[in-house]
Amino acid sequence: MDLKFSPQDEQYRERLRAWLDVNLKQHQAVSKAGDVDPVQAARDWQKTLCEGGYLGLSWPREYGGQEASLTQQVVVSEELARSGAPAPINTIGISILGPTLIQHGSEEQKQRYLPKILNGEELWCQGFSEPGAGSDLASLQTRAIEDGDHFVVNGQKVWTSLGMIADWCFLLVRTNPDAPKREGISYLLCNMKTPGITVRPLRNAGGGSHFCEMFFDDVRIPRENLVGEVNGGWRIARSTLDNERSGLSGVISIENNLDRLLNLSISLNRGKQRAIDSDSVQQQLAQLWIEKEGLKYLGFRNLSDQIANRLPGPAASVGKLFASRLRQKIGKAGFDIAGPLAQVGKKSPHSIARGRLQATYFDSLGYSIGGGTSEIMQNIIAEKVLGLPRSYED
């Protein structure tokens, strides 16, 4: 991996900075208006990024991508984080489903779905986990029965991020209950407006409800929405999970959280001095910055592997595990730096950062579960990366 920036890369950086100075300010001005739908504002920002040429950087041009160089992708990641720009709302579609369809989808599916994933016209959620199939995802029981040119789906999914606003869902279903559990699963694309789907938001400890549970009652999905072959979904699901755990999809939000923590330390007084003037706070922030940089360059390495047509594999689990722990360290550091007032609710006049510290901390706890639990990641790393013997039997 060579991250030397050429004069052309630096010119690209300057153009991006100038573009952000104009477009990000316009987005922020619109977002602050009182009558703006925040979801629509987020869609509009993603469309702006797409039209500017700053999304789908590694994707083929025929599907709306840019086929950008590795260094250009690094530049975009750095500058978006530096500017504090919000991440695209359709991160699940861009970072997880998009690369999966590029690898496994039919030409018709690529042409149909990929451009609308990039421009934010269609938001996606992920229908994998079930009440009895979280860490052991292959035990899922949501059933799909073939009926002519449709699959009829019945079952339940849970912990589905953004399910309440998504237009589409990529869904794992059991199509052969008699086959070994990994050999009877298929991968479907489901329009969330299809009759028979019920979505119920779930409230988390931080007071948010960005994930939900979904119920499927005789939901008819056209056969053309099957990705790959019937009963061949587990292999596709594995590559989907590898895409979820690799790359730079979560680094921008981590960098933004760390920047907010730094700004809080500068503005917050503890006794007669600013929090940032404390040796212990400086040491905390320095350590978090070091770990953030390590995560970023691990993401660059995974990205360079993908660009060289080396598909993301078990090493991506290292990044997922590391990112989960780093998010939790940042959340805890916010409580440590702010002191007792960090626990005051956002409606109180004494609230710090409008309660964001609490939300950041409680949200961080879920990252040990979402996308594969930390325990599963440790098993994958031990077996597939370090070559240690298996700790369990199927």
Side-chain angles (χ1 to χ4, degrees):
M1 179 179 67
D2 185 358
L3 284 180
K4 294 179 180 178
F5 296 109
S6 68
Q8 291 76 19
D9 292 329
E10 294 301 338
Q11 292 172 5
Y12 182 80
R13 185 189 302 275
E14 291 303 317
R15 290 196 299 271
L16 173 54
R17 285 187 175 182
W19 184 92
L20 283 169
D21 284 343
V22 174
N23 290 275
L24 183 55
K25 287 178 181 178
Q26 290 178 350
H27 167 72
Q28 291 170 337
V30 171
S31 299
K32 291 178 181 178
D35 57 348
V36 173
D37 176 8
V39 174
Q40 186 58 51
R43 285 181 187 258
D44 292 342
W45 170 241
Q46 179 173 323
K47 183 177 180 182
T48 300
L49 281 171
C50 181
E51 292 176 345
Y54 301 115
L55 283 183
L57 294 167
S58 65
W59 291 20
R61 292 188 185 276
E62 60 263 36
Y63 309 128
Q66 302 298 317
E67 296 184 5
S69 68
L70 172 62
T71 50
Q72 287 176 329
Q73 294 178 63
V74 172
V75 166
V76 172
S77 175
E78 290 180 341
E79 293 305 315
L80 290 178
R82 179 197 62 81
S83 67
I89 188 174
N90 205 17
T91 299
I92 293 173
I94 294 171
S95 301
I96 305 176
L97 178 63
T100 301
L101 287 181
I102 290 171
Q103 183 181 355
H104 298 285
S106 67
E107 185 59 30
E108 292 77 11
Q109 289 170 341
K110 295 174 186 178
Q111 296 286 351
R112 160 64 183 83
Y113 296 109
L114 291 175
K116 293 184 178 182
I117 288 174
L118 281 184
N119 66 20
E121 183 176 343
E122 293 177 344
L123 304 185
W124 285 80
C125 63
Q126 180 177 359
F128 278 23
S129 295
E130 299 181 7
S135 297
D136 185 13
L137 180 59
S139 295
L140 64 91
Q141 295 300 313
T142 294
R143 183 77 187 275
I145 299 175
E146 295 184 64
D147 181 19
D149 58 356
H150 283 77
F151 292 91
V152 181
V153 178
N154 285 276
Q156 179 185 359
K157 297 294 181 178
V158 73
W159 313 126
T160 305
S161 297
L162 305 182
M164 68 291 295
I165 64 172
D167 303 296
W168 285 81
C169 175
F170 51 101
L171 188 67
L172 289 185
V173 295
R174 187 160 300 283
T175 42
N176 186 351
D178 299 322
K181 61 183 183 180
R182 289 177 174 81
E183 298 175 15
I185 293 173
S186 297
Y187 197 113
L188 300 176
L189 309 177
C190 177
N191 189 324
M192 291 293 286
K193 296 180 176 63
T194 307
I197 299 176
T198 301
V199 179
R200 297 177 183 170
L202 298 171
R203 188 169 297 277
N204 64 18
S209 54
H210 62 269
F211 49 66
C212 62
E213 56 183 347
M214 304 191 303
F215 299 87
F216 296 81
D217 297 299
D218 291 331
V219 175
R220 298 182 65 83
I221 300 177
R223 188 180 182 87
E224 66 192 35
N225 291 10
L226 171 71
V227 181
E229 300 178 350
V230 175
N231 299 323
W234 183 250
R235 179 175 64 90
I236 301 174
R238 289 294 301 271
S239 65
T240 295
L241 292 172
D242 286 341
N243 287 321
E244 180 178 6
R245 297 164 187 164
S246 68
L248 300 167
S249 59
V251 174
I252 293 177
S253 63
I254 289 175
E255 289 191 315
N256 288 341
N257 285 342
L258 189 53
D259 285 343
R260 283 193 287 267
L261 193 59
L262 173 61
N263 291 332
L264 173 68
S265 302
I266 294 172
S267 62
L268 182 68
N269 288 326
R270 299 200 325 184
K272 296 183 179 180
Q273 65 176 8
R274 299 179 305 167
I276 191 66
D277 295 326
S278 165
D279 290 343
S280 63
V281 171
Q282 292 178 14
Q283 290 172 1
Q284 274 186 297
L285 292 174
Q287 182 62 37
L288 292 172
W289 184 86
I290 290 169
E291 294 184 21
K292 180 265 296 183
E293 287 293 291
L295 177 64
K296 182 168 69 174
Y297 283 97
L298 177 62
F300 291 157
R301 186 170 67 180
N302 289 335
L303 184 61
S304 65
D305 284 343
Q306 293 177 53
I307 293 171
N309 293 320
R310 297 187 293 270
L311 297 177
S317 298
V318 177
K320 196 278 176 185
L321 178 64
F322 195 85
S324 299
R325 291 178 173 175
L326 181 54
R327 286 178 183 275
Q328 290 164 7
K329 288 181 180 180
I330 292 173
K332 185 176 183 300
F335 276 11
D336 292 343
I337 292 170
L341 286 179
Q343 303 175 49
V344 175
K346 63 181 179 181
K347 295 182 180 180
S348 168
H350 304 291
S351 173
I352 293 179
R354 295 176 296 175
R356 181 174 288 163
L357 295 176
Q358 295 179 36
T360 299
Y361 174 76
F362 284 117
D363 284 347
S364 74
L365 302 179
Y367 285 95
S368 291
I369 302 172
T373 67
S374 294
E375 291 76 13
I376 293 296
M377 296 302 102
Q378 289 169 336
N379 272 341
I380 293 173
I381 294 166
E383 296 167 11
K384 304 299 184 181
V385 179
L386 301 178
L388 299 179
R390 291 172 66 87
S391 60
Y392 62 94
E393 297 295 334
D394 290 334

